[in-house]
Amino acid sequence: MEMGSHVFQQSRICVFGLLFALFWFCLLYSPLWVFEGRTFWRNSLQIRNQSQIPESIPVVNQEPDNHEGFPFLKALRTVDNESDPCGGRYVYVHDLPSRFNDDMVKECGSINKWFDMCKSITNSGLGPPLENPEGVFSDKGWYATNQFTVDVIFHNRMKQYECLTNDSSMAAAIFVPFYAGFDAARYLWGYNTSTRDAASLDLVDWLQKRDEWKIMNGKDHFLVGGRITWDFRRISDEDTDWGNKFLFLPASKNMSVLLIESSPWNSNDFAIPYPTYFHPSKDSDVFTWQNRMTKLHRKWLFCFAGAPRLGNPKSIRTLLINQCKNSNSGKLLECGNDESKCHSPSNIMNMFQRSVFCLQPQGDSYTRRSAFDSILAGCIPVFFHPASFYTQYTWHLPKNYTKYSVFIPEDDVCRNISIEHRLRQIDPETVKLMRKEVINLIPKLIYADPRSRLETVKDAFDLSVQAVINKVTKLRRDLISGRKIDDFIEELTWKYSLLDEGETVGVHEWDPFFSKPKSNNGNTDSDNS
């Protein structure tokens, strides 16, 4: 009995020990089970909801009822950091292989078929300093700047940007320093389409392999091409067709591409100003020039600098030239017989400074650099097609174009209306207000010297970068909130930038101007002519 009782007691002790151990095991490890259960539920929710999130935005640790699944949240949160002067303004710059930029600069002699670009890319893309024997310019900040060097100027300005970051997750936008304009220019004449497209295809292949690209499929990326949109929109693969097809590549359609002329019917390019001759290094340089343009005596009522387009029956240039010749109040700098006159910055600026109005018809494409030179001279521009300015540089201009310019439809000129009579109908006080507005626009339409930094003045570079950041920030917030624009009509792209808040696209007085794409004759390498 005693032996059996002893065995029974030992058995009870073992049972109690096992129960005690099991109790503490459950107590200690049940939180882990609960946590793992929650993790499993959360991961299941991720998989279930993944189809509701845009394909280009990967889900990363998305919690229920919040937005932690968006990798760009870190960048968005910097906007609310009041102690950070760069909050919401950081830009990350891709470190591209040199074949996409620096190598093109080293081979500057082959960029343009008609003249050597090597002088034009000196001084960070500004070109050689201008001499000033006639006193047309101010003492500093004036250069013989080629109109197709924005690629280099913009990149060098970006190197001085005060809010650069090496952390791409902080970036409000990502800059791609690809010299698209230089790449297009070197192969425009005499090369097959494979050669013309090679660098563009190489670039998008390089970008799409980057982690930065995969976050938004490139929708937060932007680059600058210092040429017009039609140089990048080759429609076919025929060697006789013009330009390359960079802007038609699917990857390029996701990026914001900044050009000196954009397409009215496409949404992936945005117009930024042509470079002028003036590149100030201090705020005071800008203010001094504005003050000088305000005080000038203007001898001529209107002027025109340019050559006729004899091969283009739709051009109104010959009509404008004739009106200048036949008016005692008109001044003409005709470029047809002596191109050197129109390639002299001193001649051009001197005429613009002495004129109240400057006629700005279409160039070889819708736009021309001359419009910016005239505004720089305080001369009120007169446009004849809305795509020459109003639907182009919307990041830099007031929506109300009547504040700074005159619009005379091309059809009116073809009907032989008197430009002089039309301009004289404008009240002198209104003219003064218009000139004041033109002179106030000068800082927004020039590029400061890339080797310096302005303090309070915002130039064309500053406004362009901020506009891209605003665009990307809005897109990111729309993705988070699930907002979609389903009724956007890309063929009417030119209309959207003209709308006020709450307005919808409808019939517009300029519809006839955009009914058909303008045919491109390939001659895009003119300046003020």
Side-chain angles (χ1 to χ4, degrees), residues 213-481:
W213 178 274
K214 296 172 184 176
I215 290 176
M216 293 187 69
N217 205 23
K219 294 182 185 295
D220 52 357
H221 284 50
F222 72 106
L223 61 81
V224 173
R227 295 189 70 88
I228 64 174
T229 187
W230 318 112
D231 294 337
F232 309 99
R233 293 191 180 278
R234 192 186 68 246
I235 297 175
S236 75
D237 285 334
E238 297 294 327
D239 288 343
T240 55
D241 207 348
W242 178 258
N244 66 37
K245 61 179 181 182
F246 175 61
L247 289 177
F248 284 136
L249 299 178
S252 298
K253 289 182 178 181
N254 283 349
M255 291 188 282
S256 298
V257 183
L258 281 51
L259 307 170
I260 54 177
E261 177 179 323
S262 64
S263 165
W265 306 281
N266 299 96
S267 59
N268 60 320
D269 58 358
F270 302 86
I272 60 174
Y274 283 71
T276 64
Y277 303 112
F278 185 40
H279 306 280
S281 57
K282 297 181 297 184
D283 289 15
S284 59
D285 295 341
V286 180
F287 304 145
T288 299
W289 181 256
Q290 287 178 297
N291 187 50
R292 178 177 169 181
M293 293 303 100
T294 301
K295 297 178 178 179
L296 284 178
H297 171 69
R298 298 181 184 268
K299 177 180 179 180
W300 307 104
L301 176 64
F302 65 101
C303 72
F304 174 60
R309 291 293 184 267
L310 301 178
N312 182 0
K314 295 183 179 180
S315 175
I316 62 170
R317 285 184 169 222
T318 298
L319 299 174
L320 299 182
I321 290 171
N322 290 337
Q323 290 212 30
C324 285
K325 286 180 176 180
N326 296 328
S327 171
N328 293 328
S329 301
K331 178 66 175 176
L332 176 66
L333 187 63
E334 192 169 5
C335 306
N337 299 322
D338 186 1
E339 286 286 339
S340 63
K341 290 190 300 182
C342 283
H343 288 284
S344 166
S346 180
N347 286 344
I348 295 165
M349 292 299 293
N350 186 39
M351 184 180 72
F352 288 169
Q353 288 175 24
R354 299 172 69 192
S355 302
V356 178
F357 297 97
C358 291
L359 308 185
Q360 299 296 343
Q362 298 184 56
D364 290 321
S365 60
Y366 286 123
T367 64
R368 62 196 302 245
R369 174 206 174 128
S370 178
F372 296 93
D373 292 333
S374 65
I375 290 176
L376 180 59
C379 186
I380 301 168
V382 180
F383 296 108
F384 304 89
H385 195 294
S388 292
F389 219 67
Y390 307 142
T391 63
Q392 294 285 345
Y393 311 100
T394 55
W395 292 346
H396 306 80
L397 300 170
K399 288 184 179 179
N400 184 359
Y401 65 88
T402 63
K403 294 174 64 176
Y404 66 88
S405 71
V406 176
F407 179 59
I408 302 176
E410 290 176 333
D411 285 349
D412 287 359
V413 179
C414 293
R415 287 194 292 267
N416 207 30
I417 65 103
S418 169
I419 293 174
E420 178 179 348
H421 178 68
R422 181 72 62 89
L423 297 177
R424 288 197 184 279
Q425 287 180 320
I426 304 174
D427 178 72
E429 286 302 314
T430 301
V431 171
K432 288 182 181 179
L433 292 175
M434 293 173 72
R435 185 183 303 120
K436 182 178 180 181
E437 186 69 26
V438 165
I439 293 172
N440 287 338
L441 282 176
I442 290 175
K444 300 178 180 180
L445 302 179
I446 59 175
Y447 296 90
D449 192 321
R451 297 161 296 186
S452 60
R453 185 181 298 170
L454 303 182
E455 296 178 6
T456 62
V457 173
K458 300 298 182 184
D459 72 343
F461 168 87
D462 295 317
L463 295 178
S464 301
V465 172
Q466 189 59 53
V468 170
I469 288 174
N470 292 345
K471 176 177 177 285
V472 174
T473 300
K474 182 181 184 304
L475 175 60
R476 287 172 169 175
R477 287 174 173 163
D478 286 349
L479 287 171
I480 289 174
S481 65

Side-chain angles (χ1 to χ4, degrees), residues 1 27 89 128 130 185 201 312 382 438 462 472 483 498 521:
M1 272 307 278
L27 185 65
R89 298 196 301 126
L130 283 173
L201 294 170
N312 182 0
V382 180
V438 165
D462 295 317
V472 174
R483 284 194 298 268
L498 305 177
N521 59 12

